[in-house]
Amino acid sequence: MDRSEKDRVKIFDTTLRDGEQSPGISLGKHEKLEIAQQLARLGADVIEAGFPITSPGDFEAVQAIARGVHGPVICGLARTSVQDIDAAWNAVKDSERPRIHTFIATSDIHIERKLQTTREDVKGQARAAVAHAKRYTDDVEFSPEDGSRSDVEFMAEVIQIAIDEGATTINVPDTVGYTMPDEYAEMWRRLYALLPELAGVTTSVHCHNDLGLAVANSFAGVTAGARQVECAVNGIGERAGNASLEEIVMLLHTRESSVGVWTAVDTHEIARTSRLVSRLTGYPVQPNKAIVGRNAFAHEAGIHQDGVLKERTTYEIMDATTIGLEANSIVLGKHSGRHALRKALEELGFQVEGAALNTAFKRFKEIADKKKKVTALDLEAIVSDEMKQVPAAIELESFDIEASSARSPLARVRVRMPGGEVESGSFTGDGPVDAFFSAINAAVGREARLKEYHVSAVTGGRDALGEVTVLLELGGRLASGVGVSTDILEASGKAYLRALSNAIPDDAVAEAERVLEREVKETSAP
Amino acid sequence: MDRSEKDRVKIFDTTLRDGEQSPGISLGKHEKLEIAQQLARLGADVIEAGFPITSPGDFEAVQAIARGVHGPVICGLARTSVQDIDAAWNAVKDSERPRIHTFIATSDIHIERKLQTTREDVKGQARAAVAHAKRYTDDVEFSPEDGSRSDVEFMAEVIQIAIDEGATTINVPDTVGYTMPDEYAEMWRRLYALLPELAGVTTSVHCHNDLGLAVANSFAGVTAGARQVECAVNGIGERAGNASLEEIVMLLHTRESSVGVWTAVDTHEIARTSRLVSRLTGYPVQPNKAIVGRNAFAHEAGIHQDGVLKERTTYEIMDATTIGLEANSIVLGKHSGRHALRKALEELGFQVEGAALNTAFKRFKEIADKKKKVTALDLEAIVSDEMKQVPAAIELESFDIEASSARSPLARVRVRMPGGEVESGSFTGDGPVDAFFSAINAAVGREARLKEYHVSAVTGGRDALGEVTVLLELGGRLASGVGVSTDILEASGKAYLRALSNAIPDDAVAEAERVLEREVKETSAP
């Protein structure tokens, strides 16, 4: 197909910024870096890596991505204040292609109720922010927050100011997920009519899914002329989330000949990207989710419809191989060596060397002893699981659990503290998991409270790896952890200990971060 | 608001037909009846209760719904054959408002590759089917399958025939989830132009979500003039599912003043309907799912944004109470009596009397002993759990499980067989759940294979009820079971035994059903 650059739609991924603002997601620096590396393999044009002013942790993660991830533009979010923009710049400046993304609300409801200021002040803030960002970099994006509910003429004035000051991308978000496709397209048509200068910048859409229309609205924006779509893997994000990256990409891919626009995404990386994000965030993907749900491709779900057998296209408009569902058939067994493991991991896109390879090999052997075949999915789970390790982790030494219908379950545990000392605890609880977690609390001497507990299987069958996600609260701080094992109780204990380790950083830093995070999250955005 | 009947959009729920065709869902008659009762409370206009020719079980469930559920039209699906239509009629005829829904594909790819016939033959089959159905009832719906990929002029000819023979609803499905909003609206405009007779019938949309556009396409159809939307609770259905009932309803509700159409659905029943369907199908709802996901309403997820506190509408376009999320605050404790339980269940919409009330009360007391507060969500789980009981169930008598990091887990179980005899078994497995299930297999003397295993928490916190869903395979037959307990191992054992009980009906009947199901599922539709 004849593809021209003007018909190319850039994919701006905000999994690590808007996605990471979802309740209960708390990604560490290494996890964010791993996701960013995968987004680069996927071919995302822009990675919004975080909101650097919100916490030292966020700043460091954005910086690590700016330094370590090559290819995509690396973008940091900032409100209009000098401090925000300075933090964003300092975080992204080591990237080969840094971008600052600054925003301020233009809807009257946000201006009056949230910002408690005036339209004139908003104009002034937008002007100052873009001008300040422009001093650092040529690549500046500006978003009028709650754009879809803004008075279009006033919003156009603000956008005009941003363009005059040098903004190179203009993104109009549907912040609250309120608009409808025709309405959003009409808004764009009015903006193009009011602002001929829009022809000289990249126009961008950012749609939320509150009414189930995020992808359709994004698509309507593209049809109206936008050439950047802000989206997140698995559609995660504030409330009902953002437009799903995989849905917008596969929509444009599948209907390219009708629509006439294209993306540079390597669709074969979609399935793996989805699994990685689901695993590291602890956010499951429902079976009936478009593109990446377990059932999205009928024959993946084990159904062999007569129609499909006779002619695939009678019921399938996409091929599972296109999103990488059947891309690799790696299978290792208990006799596979270190070299085979390393080669398999490389094929999966993981560069694992030295001590990390030793650890991965040890885990692989443990799993291979229990499962006859270790598949690509199992390897991904093992490696991602190892990546969840936090530096000062409390480790599970041993456990004994007795569960019976005749009496309350009893758990005994021994844990190794970061300093090396071994502590033990025991507890009799309502259920074996409850007893296990309470015994860990007793051993560690902390009163963490379980908020959420989720179990899923990595692959099918009796010897499947179980993946347990735990969300707990300790002193007002939420922290999550994931554990993987063929033993659901062992996976639970590991997940709980990792969450607990995440929840116990240096306490003063933790408190400062918490206050700052709350303050900035209050602004949400965009 | 001034609402006229011509602006009313009918909600046609296909959770029990297209939804139930999702892999791994196998609802029993009582579960289907319970869902249908809830759909009636929700105010669905039409319930497509099943595809009666596909199996005796499906036939009986449709019949039970036709007899027991009052208010909505009760609809049965049928291909064009006399046998299909007779079965559909016999299943729905006892309803106060029976409908027969017949379909045949009109796209060339389906006609040539799947039906292996000609356009002329399709016309003849459509004519005969509608005429035959019309002999039984005035309320006949006709669907040209794969309509969105059909030659519009040929499809219009087939629809003309169906209308001539007396079809009162014409539904044009996007069977493979391929169309786009503007394209689908344009298709409708051409159909209306070609067929002035469409003004005299109800026009209907049925959209699949393969590209994430099911709701947007349905909405585009409504904007173009359609006045019935076929959809499913939680968006379940073939592959990526159907348009989500809750999304289309809340879209029309939230944007009613802009769009000018309305539905008669009681939105306050949405959250409960979603939970019931998720629980009985074993299909989880992802946290970022629009409307019914855990995070869809920010303050439900525990976030208190400054903006939201200052003025709810800065970030929220819907109120959680509108979908019934905070509708009831029922809390019972260990001292609550049978009368209080019965009253609470009534408030929740469950009519529980006699022996069922005794069983529910016994379960309630067990749970109340372990949890301080038993909430409405817990009660729903307990009652739904009891409803999952199958007539000839194998019951869990007792179990003992030892799990340890030092040795392989050991499980010992005793089960009571349907005949009353008690059998025991033991097993040492890879994990405690594996050991438990293998010990059950040993006790029952069957070699069932675990296919899927899923755990979720009913409510938050350490003493949460855990809900385990098991999908297993026995002799080529898939069966699912759900178990609820504060003890995850006990819940697992119950779920496994229920699935196993479901998988062991009279073997001859089972084989006949299996062949029939396969044969009919091959046709998919629509």
Side-chain angles (χ1 to χ4, degrees):
Chain A
M1 196 169 302
D2 195 21
R3 288 171 153 184
S4 76
E5 193 60 24
K6 75 169 180 41
D7 297 328
R8 172 171 166 193
V9 175
K10 288 182 188 159
I11 296 298
F12 175 113
D13 180 276
T14 188
T15 306
L16 296 173
R17 204 278 300 162
D18 204 327
E20 216 256 348
Q21 283 177 221
S22 306
I25 295 184
S26 88
L27 295 170
K29 183 168 82 176
H30 291 99
E31 294 152 19
K32 287 182 182 172
L33 191 56
E34 188 64 32
I35 289 173
Q37 297 283 18
Q38 178 59 30
L39 290 170
R41 275 194 288 270
L42 178 72
D45 296 281
V46 185
I47 296 174
E48 186 164 61
F51 196 169
I53 191 75
T54 57
S55 74
D58 217 32
F59 181 94
E60 281 172 32
V62 175
Q63 190 172 56
I65 290 166
R67 290 174 178 172
V69 176
H70 306 286
V73 170
I74 306 299
C75 173
L77 185 66
R79 287 166 303 189
T80 50
S81 74
V82 167
Q83 295 89 322
D84 273 52
I85 291 165
D86 288 351
W89 173 246
N90 286 323
V92 300
K93 67 181 176 192
D94 295 337
S95 166
E96 291 153 6
R97 304 171 65 196
R99 174 182 295 185
I100 298 171
H101 177 194
T102 185
F103 72 95
I104 187 164
T106 50
S107 69
D108 288 332
I109 184 168
H110 274 231
I111 294 173
E112 287 161 22
R113 307 292 172 87
K114 190 187 66 169
L115 301 176
Q116 299 178 341
T117 185
T118 62
R119 286 185 169 194
E120 277 314 301
D121 182 53
V122 165
K123 285 193 207 171
Q125 287 194 46
R127 185 187 312 277
V130 175
H132 187 60
K134 198 71 185 181
R135 262 175 252 152
Y136 292 128
T137 174
D138 272 345
D139 191 348
V140 175
E141 172 167 336
F142 173 76
S143 294
E145 193 191 2
D146 205 19
S148 59
R149 291 196 301 178
S150 298
D151 169 30
V152 178
E153 287 175 15
F154 170 67
M155 178 164 64
E157 287 177 46
V158 180
I159 292 172
Q160 175 78 64
I161 289 168
I163 294 175
D164 289 345
E165 296 298 332
T168 44
T169 299
I170 296 295
N171 172 58
V172 183
D174 180 33
T175 303
V176 296
Y178 183 70
T179 200
M180 302 176 289
D182 289 347
E183 189 179 65
Y184 193 54
E186 176 57 26
M187 180 207 78
W188 276 106
R189 277 189 287 269
R190 285 198 60 199
L191 279 180
Y192 287 121
L194 288 165
L195 292 169
E197 296 84 350
L198 279 177
V201 301
T202 300
T203 44
S204 169
V205 298
H206 176 113
C207 298
H208 278 272
N209 203 37
D210 297 71
L211 295 174
L213 294 174
V215 169
N217 288 334
S218 302
F219 181 59
V222 167
T223 309
R227 287 295 176 267
Q228 175 179 285
V229 175
E230 304 196 2
C231 47
V233 177
N234 299 338
I236 62 174
E238 292 266 12
R239 304 182 313 281
N242 291 275
S244 286
L245 180 145
E246 61 277 10
E247 293 178 11
I248 194 81
V249 166
M250 287 307 293
L251 167 59
L252 297 182
H253 181 83
T254 307
R255 301 306 309 270
E256 182 176 343
S257 62
S258 307
V259 182
V261 298
W262 57 285
T263 77
V265 165
D266 177 1
T267 61
H268 299 90
E269 292 290 335
I270 286 178
R272 184 192 304 176
T273 311
S274 167
R275 289 194 299 266
L276 182 72
V277 168
S278 175
R279 177 167 292 140
L280 294 182
T281 58
Y283 265 49
V285 171
Q286 65 195 20
N288 50 319
K289 166 82 174 63
I291 313 295
V292 294
R294 182 183 75 203
N295 299 348
F297 293 88
H299 70 279
E300 276 299 299
I303 291 184
H304 294 282
Q305 290 167 319
D306 185 45
V308 175
L309 294 180
K310 283 188 191 132
E311 167 71 37
R312 203 184 55 76
T313 51
T314 50
Y315 285 103
E316 287 193 14
I317 58 173
M318 293 169 283
D319 186 336
T321 58
T322 312
I323 67 158
L325 264 182
E326 295 164 343
N328 64 65
S329 50
I330 296 167
V331 177
L332 300 179
K334 61 195 296 185
H335 301 299
S336 304
R338 194 177 305 252
H339 181 71
L341 176 67
R342 184 177 156 181
K343 198 148 166 293
L345 290 175
E346 263 172 25
E347 269 187 59
L348 290 172
F350 295 107
Q351 296 296 334
V352 182
E353 304 283 346
L357 181 61
N358 286 343
T359 314
F361 189 66
K362 188 162 156 271
R363 282 297 307 281
F364 162 71
K365 279 294 188 187
E366 285 167 19
I367 303 290
D369 276 345
K370 295 181 179 172
K371 283 178 71 97
K372 276 188 221 103
K373 291 176 184 171
V374 178
T375 66
L377 289 178
D378 293 326
L379 286 179
E380 270 186 19
I382 295 168
V383 175
S384 322
D385 188 42
E386 285 307 318
M387 288 182 326
K388 302 287 290 187
Q389 298 282 9
V390 290
I394 309 165
E395 302 283 349
L396 185 62
E397 278 279 302
S398 66
F399 66 90
D400 281 279
I401 294 169
E402 290 163 26
S404 162
S405 48
R407 59 198 173 278
S408 291
L410 168 67
R412 285 180 296 257
V413 303
R414 284 156 49 88
V415 300
R416 182 175 300 273
M417 302 300 285
E421 65 279 24
V422 172
E423 306 285 354
S424 59
S426 68
F427 201 86
T428 300
D430 286 340
V433 173
D434 171 40
F436 198 175
F437 292 171
S438 297
I440 290 173
N441 273 359
V444 176
R446 299 273 183 166
E447 273 306 315
R449 285 176 48 219
L450 183 68
K451 302 289 285 181
E452 283 176 24
Y453 175 77
H454 181 80
V455 182
S456 59
V458 175
T459 44
R462 166 150 293 160
D463 61 357
L465 284 181
E467 195 164 69
V468 173
T469 310
V470 159
L471 179 71
L472 56 74
E473 191 205 318
L474 181 65
R477 188 185 173 87
L478 287 176
S480 64
V482 176
V484 175
S485 171
T486 55
D487 175 339
I488 193 175
L489 291 175
E490 185 185 25
S492 300
K494 283 184 171 179
Y496 192 82
L497 273 172
R498 285 180 191 171
L500 202 53
S501 303
N502 282 326
I504 319 178
D506 180 78
D507 286 338
V509 172
E511 180 54 23
E513 277 198 22
R514 208 154 55 77
V515 169
L516 196 56
E517 267 179 40
R518 195 166 46 211
E519 189 184 294
V520 177
K521 280 214 170 163
E522 279 165 0
T523 340
S524 189
Chain B
M1 194 168 300
D2 197 22
R3 289 171 151 183
S4 75
E5 193 60 25
K6 75 171 180 38
D7 297 328
R8 173 172 165 192
V9 175
K10 288 182 188 159
I11 296 298
F12 175 112
D13 180 276
T14 188
T15 306
L16 296 172
R17 204 278 300 163
D18 204 326
E20 216 257 348
Q21 282 177 222
S22 306
I25 296 185
S26 90
L27 295 169
K29 183 168 83 176
H30 291 98
E31 294 152 18
K32 288 184 182 171
L33 191 56
E34 189 64 32
I35 289 173
Q37 297 283 17
Q38 178 58 31
L39 291 169
R41 277 194 287 270
L42 177 73
D45 296 282
V46 185
I47 296 174
E48 186 163 61
F51 195 168
I53 193 76
T54 56
S55 74
D58 216 32
F59 181 92
E60 281 173 32
V62 176
Q63 190 173 57
I65 291 166
R67 289 174 178 172
V69 177
H70 306 287
V73 170
I74 306 301
C75 173
L77 185 66
R79 287 166 300 189
T80 49
S81 74
V82 166
Q83 296 90 321
D84 273 52
I85 290 167
D86 289 351
W89 173 247
N90 286 323
V92 300
K93 67 182 176 190
D94 295 336
S95 165
E96 292 152 6
R97 304 171 65 196
R99 175 182 295 185
I100 297 171
H101 177 194
T102 185
F103 71 95
I104 189 163
T106 50
S107 69
D108 288 332
I109 184 169
H110 274 231
I111 293 172
E112 287 161 22
R113 307 293 172 87
K114 191 187 66 169
L115 301 176
Q116 298 178 338
T117 185
T118 61
R119 286 186 169 193
E120 277 313 302
D121 181 54
V122 165
K123 285 193 206 173
Q125 288 194 45
R127 186 189 311 278
V130 175
H132 186 59
K134 198 70 183 180
R135 264 176 249 150
Y136 291 129
T137 174
D138 271 345
D139 191 347
V140 175
E141 172 167 335
F142 174 76
S143 294
E145 193 190 2
D146 204 19
S148 58
R149 291 196 301 178
S150 298
D151 168 30
V152 179
E153 288 176 15
F154 170 66
M155 177 165 64
E157 288 177 45
V158 180
I159 291 172
Q160 175 78 65
I161 289 168
I163 294 175
D164 289 346
E165 296 298 331
T168 44
T169 298
I170 297 295
N171 172 59
V172 183
D174 180 33
T175 303
V176 295
Y178 183 71
T179 199
M180 302 177 288
D182 289 347
E183 189 178 66
Y184 193 53
E186 176 58 26
M187 179 208 77
W188 276 105
R189 278 188 288 270
R190 286 197 61 199
L191 279 180
Y192 287 121
L194 289 165
L195 293 168
E197 296 83 350
L198 279 177
V201 301
T202 300
T203 43
S204 170
V205 297
H206 176 113
C207 298
H208 278 271
N209 203 38
D210 297 71
L211 294 173
L213 294 174
V215 169
N217 287 334
S218 303
F219 181 59
V222 167
T223 309
R227 286 296 175 266
Q228 176 178 285
V229 175
E230 303 196 2
C231 48
V233 177
N234 300 336
I236 62 173
E238 292 266 11
R239 302 182 313 279
N242 291 274
S244 285
L245 180 144
E246 60 278 10
E247 294 177 11
I248 194 79
V249 166
M250 288 306 293
L251 166 60
L252 297 181
H253 181 82
T254 307
R255 300 307 310 269
E256 182 176 343
S257 63
S258 308
V259 182
V261 297
W262 57 284
T263 77
V265 164
D266 177 1
T267 61
H268 298 91
E269 293 290 335
I270 286 177
R272 184 191 305 175
T273 310
S274 166
R275 289 194 299 267
L276 181 72
V277 169
S278 175
R279 179 166 291 139
L280 294 182
T281 58
Y283 264 48
V285 172
Q286 66 196 19
N288 51 320
K289 167 81 174 65
I291 313 296
V292 294
R294 182 183 74 202
N295 299 347
F297 293 89
H299 69 279
E300 276 298 302
I303 291 184
H304 294 282
Q305 290 166 317
D306 186 45
V308 175
L309 294 180
K310 283 188 191 131
E311 167 72 39
R312 202 185 55 77
T313 51
T314 48
Y315 285 103
E316 286 192 16
I317 59 172
M318 294 169 283
D319 186 336
T321 58
T322 312
I323 66 156
L325 264 183
E326 295 164 342
N328 64 65
S329 50
I330 295 167
V331 177
L332 300 180
K334 62 195 292 186
H335 301 299
S336 303
R338 194 178 304 251
H339 182 70
L341 175 67
R342 184 177 157 180
K343 201 151 162 291
L345 291 175
E346 264 172 25
E347 270 186 58
L348 291 172
F350 295 108
Q351 296 296 334
V352 182
E353 304 284 347
L357 181 61
N358 286 343
T359 314
F361 189 66
K362 186 162 157 273
R363 283 296 306 281
F364 161 70
K365 279 295 187 187
E366 287 168 18
I367 303 292
D369 276 346
K370 294 182 179 169
K371 282 179 70 96
K372 276 186 223 107
K373 291 175 183 173
V374 179
T375 66
L377 290 178
D378 294 326
L379 287 178
E380 273 186 16
I382 297 169
V383 174
S384 320
D385 188 42
E386 286 305 320
M387 289 182 326
K388 303 285 293 188
Q389 298 282 7
V390 290
I394 309 165
E395 303 282 349
L396 185 62
E397 277 279 300
S398 67
F399 66 92
D400 281 279
I401 295 169
E402 290 162 27
S404 162
S405 48
R407 58 198 174 278
S408 290
L410 168 67
R412 284 181 295 257
V413 302
R414 285 156 47 88
V415 300
R416 181 175 299 274
M417 302 299 284
E421 65 279 20
V422 172
E423 305 285 354
S424 58
S426 67
F427 201 85
T428 300
D430 286 339
V433 173
D434 170 40
F436 198 175
F437 292 172
S438 297
I440 290 173
N441 273 358
V444 176
R446 299 273 183 166
E447 274 306 317
R449 284 177 49 220
L450 183 66
K451 301 290 284 183
E452 282 176 25
Y453 175 77
H454 180 81
V455 181
S456 59
V458 175
T459 44
R462 168 152 290 162
D463 61 357
L465 283 180
E467 196 164 69
V468 173
T469 310
V470 159
L471 179 72
L472 55 73
E473 192 205 317
L474 182 64
R477 188 184 174 88
L478 287 175
S480 65
V482 175
V484 175
S485 169
T486 55
D487 176 340
I488 194 176
L489 291 176
E490 185 184 23
S492 300
K494 283 184 171 179
Y496 192 82
L497 273 172
R498 284 179 192 173
L500 203 52
S501 303
N502 281 326
I504 319 178
D506 180 80
D507 285 336
V509 171
E511 181 52 25
E513 277 198 22
R514 211 154 52 76
V515 169
L516 196 55
E517 268 179 38
R518 196 166 46 211
E519 187 183 298
V520 176
K521 281 213 171 164
E522 280 166 359
T523 338
S524 189

